[in-house]
Amino acid sequence: MITKHFFGSLEDGREIYSYMMKNANGMTVRICEFGGAIMEIRVPDRWGRMSDVVGGYDSLRDYVLGDGYLGALIGRVGNRICDGKYTLDGKEYTAFINNGKNSLHGGQVGFSHKIWSVKPIDGEEPRLVLTLVSPDGDEGYPGTLTVTVTYALLKSNALSIHYEATTDQRTIVNLTNHAYFNLGGYASGKVFDHVLQMDADRYLPTDDSLIPTGELRAVDGTPFDFREPKTIGRDFDMENPDIKIAGGFDHCFCFAGGETKEPVLRVEVYEPNSGRMMQVYTNQPAIQFYSGNFLNNPEHPLKGGYPQNLQALFCLETQKMPDSINHPNFDNIVLDPGEKYDYTTIYQFSVKN
Ligand code: BGC
């Protein structure tokens, strides 16, 4: 079932709506036209009690002015581009600098701050088809990029996100979603007890502006080794230069074997108190695991007035490696006319006793 709700008006008077999808188990997912943001995901715990497991805001104003990209779709290029600069076919481009000396998450008005057009398709597995046309030169990126993101709420209590894009000129693209999770409920405190497992054998160390140095480092013997399940908190305070720079986990993890044809299970997170588990399936080659190290802006409290709190929510952003365009040994994020950008990420929810 899909229902449409008025959410708020922008300063110019445009009305913004949200869409609530619900499946037969009572799981709900609410998506906003503004930023295509996931505003709410309600899933049962091991006793069947529903909680909202993603961070979000109560007011449109916070989505417009807040700095955390809560739940938003990210584009054209997720994460940071060093100095906002890159070269494509011999031509230098400059993306908007909005994070120290770098460009972050698509620039000044990235996809997280655009109004998406939403087509609801109701049914047993309700879907929302979001589209956006990003004009040639938008935020310094070449080519008209036509983007479709389909959110589907599956019978199995999964949220599937299918990203598609085409261009009329050679360009770069690296899309993701910036949902912040806490499987105990978004207002349940720090996420250190969550048990995380990731099929990632390498990670990307960064400089102090969080730009990858170019090295793909083996996770062996580092706090970044999540190949066997361990709590997010276990190695959080370990003396480690990479953890220190980022104030926690804020790194790209590269999946063993890289990109796959179909989505495969890559990440599993379990919260022992509620019993909730989330599994991430994707065909993307990498994931940014961010432990909410900047999440403390008192001006933009979360839903219900709950304060932002460091490491009380985490992101698992499937994508290609950050700043790939400036590193020949990283992923290819170039999209050519006639080619289709086409990836799927599935967040599967369940419980474990
Ligand atoms: C980045 C963080 C950044 C955050 C913004 C994450 O994807 O890795 O460094 O602060 O987005 O909310």
Side-chain angles (χ1 to χ4, degrees), residues 34-35 63-69 72-81 84 94-100 102-115 134 137-141:
F34 187 83
Y63 280 97
V64 176
L65 300 175
D67 51 6
Y69 302 87
L73 291 174
I74 303 293
R76 294 186 185 192
V77 176
N79 212 279
R80 294 175 178 79
I81 296 182
T94 308
F96 188 84
I97 312 285
N98 58 344
N99 188 253
N102 302 318
S103 179
L104 176 67
H105 293 331
Q108 189 174 29
V109 187
F111 292 176
S112 52
H113 288 73
K114 304 235 191 219
I115 303 169
S134 169
D138 192 14
E139 293 292 328
Y141 293 106

Side-chain angles (χ1 to χ4, degrees), residues 67-69 79-80 99 104-105 178 180 210 250 288 290 294 317:
D67 51 6
Y69 302 87
N79 212 279
R80 294 175 178 79
N99 188 253
L104 176 67
H105 293 331
H178 210 296
Y180 285 83
L210 299 181
D250 190 358
Q288 184 80 10
Y290 170 52
F294 296 112
E317 306 156 66

Side-chain angles (χ1 to χ4, degrees), residues 79-100:
N79 212 279
R80 294 175 178 79
I81 296 182
C82 186
D83 300 331
K85 287 208 180 336
Y86 65 97
T87 306
L88 196 58
D89 291 336
K91 191 169 168 206
E92 185 167 289
Y93 293 91
T94 308
F96 188 84
I97 312 285
N98 58 344
N99 188 253

